[in-house]
Amino acid sequence: MDRQVSLSRTEMFSFVNPWIRYFLFFFSFLFWVFSLLIVAIGVYAKAQKATDTVRDSFLIDPAVILIVVGVVMFFITFCGCIGALRENIRLLKIFSFSLTLVFLTQMAIAILGFFYSEQTRDALGEFVKKAIVHYRDDLDLQNLMDYIQKEFKCCGWNNYTDWSWNLYFNCSASNPSNERCSVPFSCCTPLPGETVINSMCGFGVQTQNHLNATKSIYSVGCADRAAIWIESHLLLVGTLTLGLALPQIAGIVLSQILISEIRSVM
């Protein structure tokens, strides 16, 4: 009789450390809510341009990228939430494995990007080229390119003549566009005391040589500017990298500790 009472109490009460259990739950729940927010933003952005028929820009569409990232985060953190709350080893294993896979993938990309810098630059160049080609077709890509060029004070990928990749800015004689041989306003250098940038400042700039173009626009390409920015902000880049890695490592460690504790009382 006493043995049966003892067994029933063991079934009713868990010997798993509640601090680890609930910390992992709230940790996962926080990122689960964040993933829902990312998906909502991505879906809203995609719905606002539901008539967009440009298929070639689908994989570089910021809205699509947000949705994919949000869905992956939702799946991983959902397993972490329910696994910690219900002390479900299978879900905790999925959570731990998924986080480990994401972490190792990020590490591999970083290492390959460091040792194969030229190939990485070419891959990023292809991404930017597509963004330039579809600059007028996708509002999100347009805003992204404008932000990059204004923040890094650059124009194009290699230099300002890259904007000839775009149908509207193409500098060929057969181009009937009013923006022929021009560059977007985000390439323009602001004048002292100027509060509103003149959107016409980039008109015809592609026909000018580098020295003359520098007087009105950022003539340096974003590839060189990005490399200079990274070299001069290594501490910030390292901090951001660590900030991304630590939550993943913490999730992996906590889930493994919780799995071992659950097993110990089974």
Side-chain angles (χ1 to χ4, degrees):
M1 182 69 180
D2 291 339
R3 188 169 181 273
Q4 290 180 347
V5 172
S6 177
L7 287 172
S8 64
R9 285 180 179 176
T10 302
E11 292 174 356
M12 291 173 61
F13 299 101
S14 172
F15 292 97
V16 173
N17 190 324
W19 291 102
I20 295 176
R21 178 187 177 190
Y22 288 111
F23 183 80
L24 182 59
F25 168 76
F26 286 114
F27 172 84
S28 301
F29 181 76
L30 179 65
F31 283 94
W32 180 73
V33 173
F34 184 60
S35 70
L36 287 177
L37 181 62
I38 292 176
V39 172
I41 293 173
V43 170
Y44 175 78
K46 194 64 181 173
Q48 291 299 303
K49 51 179 184 181
T51 57
D52 182 19
T53 57
V54 182
R55 294 182 180 179
D56 192 38
S57 65
F58 182 79
L59 293 178
I60 61 172
D61 189 338
V64 173
I65 294 173
L66 283 176
I67 293 172
V68 171
V69 171
V71 168
V72 171
M73 280 184 62
F74 176 87
F75 170 75
I76 295 174
T77 53
F78 178 80
C79 290
C81 280
I82 304 302
L85 189 64
R86 304 293 298 175
E87 298 180 10
N88 188 301
I89 291 181
R90 182 174 296 177
L91 289 177
L92 287 172
K93 281 183 176 180
I94 294 173
F95 174 73
S96 179
F97 174 78
S98 300
L99 275 184
T100 303
L101 185 63
V102 170
F103 178 73
L104 292 177
T105 302
Q106 292 173 347
M107 288 290 293
I109 292 172
I111 292 170
L112 290 174
F114 179 78
F115 286 104
Y116 298 94
S117 56
E118 287 300 321
Q119 290 83 346
T120 303
R121 177 175 174 140
D122 293 340
L124 289 174
E126 285 299 313
F127 178 90
V128 174
K129 182 176 181 178
K130 286 186 178 182
I132 290 176
V133 169
H134 299 292
Y135 179 78
R136 291 296 191 203
D137 305 321
D138 191 312
L139 184 59
D140 289 335
L141 285 177
Q142 182 174 322
N143 292 332
L144 179 62
M145 282 302 302
D146 286 338
Y147 177 80
I148 291 172
Q149 292 188 146
K150 284 189 289 186
E151 288 298 313
F152 285 97
K153 298 181 179 180
C154 57
C155 190
W157 179 244
N158 301 299
N159 56 59
Y160 61 98
T161 60
D162 288 346
W163 280 98
S164 274
W165 295 335
N166 185 273
L167 178 67
Y168 299 94
F169 298 118
N170 186 274
C171 210
S172 62
S174 59
N175 183 12
S177 172
N178 292 329
E179 296 179 300
R180 175 179 170 270
C181 294
S182 302
V183 294
F185 75 95
S186 54
C187 288
C188 297
T189 54
L191 298 174
E194 185 181 47
T195 55
V196 180
I197 295 178
N198 179 12
S199 60
M200 305 285 286
C201 67
F203 273 55
V205 169
Q206 290 188 55
T207 59
Q208 301 176 11
N209 58 39
H210 184 274
L211 184 61
N212 291 330
T214 306
K215 297 177 182 178
S216 57
I217 66 165
Y218 304 119
S219 57
V220 180
C222 293
D224 293 332
R225 283 292 187 188
I228 293 171
W229 186 89
I230 291 173
E231 289 177 1
S232 59
H233 295 81
L234 287 176
L235 180 60
L236 177 60
V237 173
T239 303
L240 291 175
T241 304
L242 188 63
L244 287 173
L246 282 179
Q248 296 174 48
I249 295 172
I252 295 168
V253 172
L254 289 173
S255 60
Q256 287 299 321
I257 293 174
L258 192 55
I259 288 171
S260 90
E261 288 199 354
I262 293 171
R263 281 176 172 168
S264 68
V265 297
M266 287 180 67

